[in-house]
């Protein structure tokens, strides 16, 4: 049984209309779906270290803020700290810092193992400060006269139980 040309054209148009309607229905369903909630990864993992354990750079997330007029000083410092094994935290600018030290370490435990470990990579003239920061981990603030990252100690003994902001997935 032979279909006439007009019957074939009509059948083709009906099939195309059904396919088009199905595509529109599918697309409308996708467009009107609610967006999935954004789940940001945590900046760090809180890791418990007990007295007597050893803390290494791999265990510590560091953020660096630039309080100098030198563009890129925070980024350069961060890259060198990451090369030494520290986890990469935030980067940014800081207001001018007071004192003569060319670099400060901001932490809630200025005499703790984390502060001692990080400070060992920042040279001899480091000031550790009990200072909060909006950046994750330990915050390092560099000034114009910061000489750069040096070879620090590979591990520090934890004297009291502490919780450390460690790099995610570490």
């Amino acid at each position: 049984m032979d279909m006439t040309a007009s019957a074939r054209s009509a059948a083709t148009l009906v099939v195309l209309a059904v396919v088009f309607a199905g595509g529109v229905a599918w697309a409308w369903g996708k467009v009107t779906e609610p967006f999935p909630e954004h789940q940001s990864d945590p900046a760090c993992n809180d890791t418990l270290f007990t007295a007597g354990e050893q803390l290494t750079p791999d265990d510590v997330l560091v953020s660096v803020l630039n309080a100098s007029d030198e563009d890129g000083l925070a980024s350069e410092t961060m890259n060198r700290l990451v090369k030494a094994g520290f986890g990469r935290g935030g980067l940014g600018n800081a207001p001018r810092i007071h004192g003569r030290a060319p670099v400060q370490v901001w932490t809630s435990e200025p005499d703790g193992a984390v502060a001692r470990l990080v400070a060992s990579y920042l040279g001899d003239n480091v000031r550790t400060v009990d200072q909060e920061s909006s950046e994750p981990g330990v915050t390092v603030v560099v000034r114009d006269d910061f000489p750069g990252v040096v070879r620090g100690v590979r591990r520090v003994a934890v004297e009291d139980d502490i919780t450390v902001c460690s790099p995610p997935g570490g």
Side-chain angles (χ1 to χ4, degrees):
M1 174 164 137
D2 253 345
M3 287 179 105
T4 64
S6 61
R8 268 195 313 254
S9 294
T12 301
L13 286 175
V14 167
V15 169
L16 288 175
V18 168
V19 169
F20 177 75
V24 167
W26 175 83
W28 182 255
K30 291 295 179 186
V31 167
T32 58
E33 273 183 8
F35 287 114
E37 297 220 8
H38 178 69
Q39 296 179 354
S40 61
D41 293 332
C44 63
N45 295 328
D46 287 337
T47 307
L48 177 64
F49 286 85
T50 58
E53 286 189 277
Q54 298 289 311
L55 188 67
T56 66
D58 295 334
D59 301 319
V60 179
L61 188 80
V62 175
S63 294
V64 181
L65 300 179
N66 191 348
S68 76
D69 293 326
E70 184 180 336
D71 289 338
L73 182 58
S75 181
E76 178 184 329
T77 302
M78 174 68 81
N79 289 338
R80 293 191 180 195
L81 288 170
V82 168
K83 188 174 181 181
F86 290 96
R88 183 180 300 274
L91 277 175
N93 292 317
R96 295 281 178 222
I97 55 177
H98 302 289
R100 293 185 179 186
V103 60
Q104 289 184 0
V105 176
W106 292 357
T107 176
S108 61
E109 297 182 21
D111 296 325
V114 174
R116 290 193 321 270
L117 179 66
V118 172
S120 76
Y121 285 83
L122 302 174
D124 294 329
N125 196 4
V126 181
R127 181 172 175 225
T128 56
V129 180
D130 185 356
Q131 171 81 32
E132 292 295 319
S133 173
S134 61
E135 298 296 329
V138 175
T139 301
V140 173
V141 184
V142 292
R143 292 179 20 174
D144 288 310
D145 47 352
F146 175 59
V149 175
V150 299
R151 183 178 303 224
V153 297
R154 289 302 307 157
R155 59 188 73 247
V156 170
V158 174
E159 295 168 354
D160 298 312
D161 293 359
I162 57 171
T163 301
V164 176
C165 178
S166 296

